[in-house]
């Protein structure tokens, strides 16, 4: 009897482990901006101080998807790797305007570079200070963002 319980415990543990690993893998595969296919660069925009360059490119994942826009931030100083900061599905153009050395507007979405990221699949901007500490109840509350 004890042998059957031990065997059932191990089988249950292995199944839970496989489900957790599979779920995490699928989540990372779907929401990782670095996995989105890159296409041709259609334009570039340099920040007013010359510290950053935003490269706009088409992203075409195949015949069953619409054309998308992907914007990659390039650091012109130092050796930091490029970072994907913007992804918009069903878009063909990106209108970029720099409001300051660090604030850029891409198709009406304001981002503070290099920290902010916009992913249309999540329908909100993700900031470096995503979590705000609520002093009254000592709990974590998400910051809400409005689309511009």
């Amino acid at each position: 009897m004890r042998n059957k319980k031990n065997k059932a415990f191990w089988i249950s543990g292995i199944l839970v482990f496989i489900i957790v690993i599979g779920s995490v893998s699928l989540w990372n595969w779907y929401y990782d901006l670095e996995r989105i296919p890159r296409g041709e660069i259609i334009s570039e925009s340099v920040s007013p101080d010359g510290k950053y360059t935003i490269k706009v490119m088409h992203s075409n994942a195949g015949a069953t998807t619409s054309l998308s826009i992907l914007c990659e931030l390039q650091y012109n100083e130092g050796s930091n790797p490029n970072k994907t900061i913007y992804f918009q599905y069903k878009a063909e153009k990106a209108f970029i305007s720099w409001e300051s050395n660090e604030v850029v507007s891409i198709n009406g979405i304001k981002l503070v570079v290099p920290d902010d990221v916009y992913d249309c699949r999540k329908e909100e901007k993700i900031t470096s200070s995503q979590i705000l500490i609520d002093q009254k109840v000592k709990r974590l509350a998400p910051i809400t963002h409005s689309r511009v």
Side-chain angles (χ1 to χ4, degrees):
M1 183 74 168
R2 182 175 166 102
N3 192 19
K4 285 184 181 181
K5 284 184 180 180
N6 196 16
K7 188 175 182 180
F9 173 77
W10 282 104
I11 290 174
S12 299
I14 290 171
L15 286 175
V16 168
F17 179 75
I18 290 171
I19 290 170
V20 168
I21 295 297
S23 299
V24 169
S25 297
L26 285 173
W27 178 265
N28 286 336
W29 177 74
Y30 182 73
Y31 282 111
D32 186 6
L33 285 174
E34 300 307 320
R35 294 183 184 272
I36 296 174
R38 271 101 172 110
E40 64 179 280
I41 295 174
I42 55 175
S43 67
E44 292 183 356
S45 179
V46 178
S47 64
D49 63 356
K51 191 174 177 181
Y52 305 106
T53 299
I54 293 180
K55 295 181 179 183
V56 181
M57 56 192 84
H58 283 142
S59 174
N60 188 354
T64 60
T65 62
S66 295
L67 199 58
S68 303
I69 291 293
L70 193 68
C71 295
E72 191 173 74
L73 181 69
Q74 175 183 325
Y75 298 84
N76 295 334
E77 300 171 0
S79 60
N80 293 333
N82 292 356
K83 175 183 176 183
T84 303
I85 61 167
Y86 182 89
F87 175 70
Q88 179 66 53
Y89 186 63
K90 293 185 179 180
E92 295 185 21
K93 296 179 182 177
F95 300 99
I96 299 175
S97 65
W98 289 89
E99 297 182 10
S100 70
N101 292 333
E102 288 86 24
V103 178
V104 64
S105 176
I106 305 172
N107 288 347
I109 304 293
K110 291 184 184 180
L111 300 173
V112 178
V113 293
D115 299 321
D116 290 357
V117 174
Y118 176 76
D119 186 345
C120 71
R121 298 170 298 180
K122 297 176 185 173
E123 283 303 320
E124 68 179 32
K125 179 174 64 171
I126 303 166
T127 65
S128 60
S129 57
Q130 187 70 30
I131 298 173
L132 173 70
I133 298 176
D134 186 343
Q135 297 297 330
K136 292 180 183 176
V137 288
K138 299 291 184 196
R139 65 180 177 84
L140 295 178
I143 296 175
T144 57
H145 298 283
S146 60
R147 292 183 75 183
V148 178

